[in-house]
């Protein structure tokens, strides 16, 4: 069984009100962390940002708005194309605001990636090693 899944997509970062700039999004999934999807955004070989997202939240974001914290997802239409709008809020800026990015991905490609993760580890079949998790937490305190 393949123990790692990876897919690269061209996504668009919103720049200003209407302009969009293409960047690469590298999605990855491993059964060792069955609830998370990792997304690394890059441009010209440089990593711009790395986020770990809840797998089920991303799936829900394809159908309805989700998220109230640092990550907010919702479906959007652009002509005939369906997109996943991803809003990311980062650290505070000197002016009191927060760093903020809006990224649009082709919903069908994200959905196909999630379907593959669900074939690797179906919902409800995630192996959660609570003993290891607790040992890691206690070792850090």
């Amino acid at each position: 069984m393949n123990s790692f899944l990876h897919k690269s997509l061209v996504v668009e970062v919103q720049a200003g009100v209407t302009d969009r700039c293409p960047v690469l999004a590298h999605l990855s999934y491993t059964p060792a962390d069955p609830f998370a999807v990792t997304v690394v955004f890059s441009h010209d070989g440089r990593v711009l940002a790395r986020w770990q997202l809840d797998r089920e939240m991303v799936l829900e974001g394809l159908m309805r708005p989700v998220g109230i914290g640092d990550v907010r997802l919702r479906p959007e239409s652009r002509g005939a194309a369906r997109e996943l709008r991803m809003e990311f809020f980062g650290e505070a800026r000197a002016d009191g605001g927060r760093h903020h990015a809006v990224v649009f991905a082709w919903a069908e490609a994200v959905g196909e990636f999630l379907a593959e993760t669900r074939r690797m580890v179906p919902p409800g079949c995630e192996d959660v090693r609570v003993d290891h998790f607790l040992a890691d937490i206690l070792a850090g305190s």
Side-chain angles (χ1 to χ4, degrees), residues 7-31:
K7 182 178 188 92
S8 293
L9 308 171
V10 175
V11 298
E12 295 178 319
V13 174
Q14 186 169 324
V17 178
T18 58
D19 294 335
R20 294 183 178 191
C21 302
V23 299
L24 284 176
H26 308 279
L27 285 70
S28 61
Y29 178 80
T30 177

Side-chain angles (χ1 to χ4, degrees), residues 111-127:
E112 289 171 0
F113 176 80
L114 292 173
E116 187 63 29
T117 71
R118 293 165 77 89
R119 281 190 283 280
M120 287 178 79
V121 180
C125 295
E126 295 92 348
D127 182 19

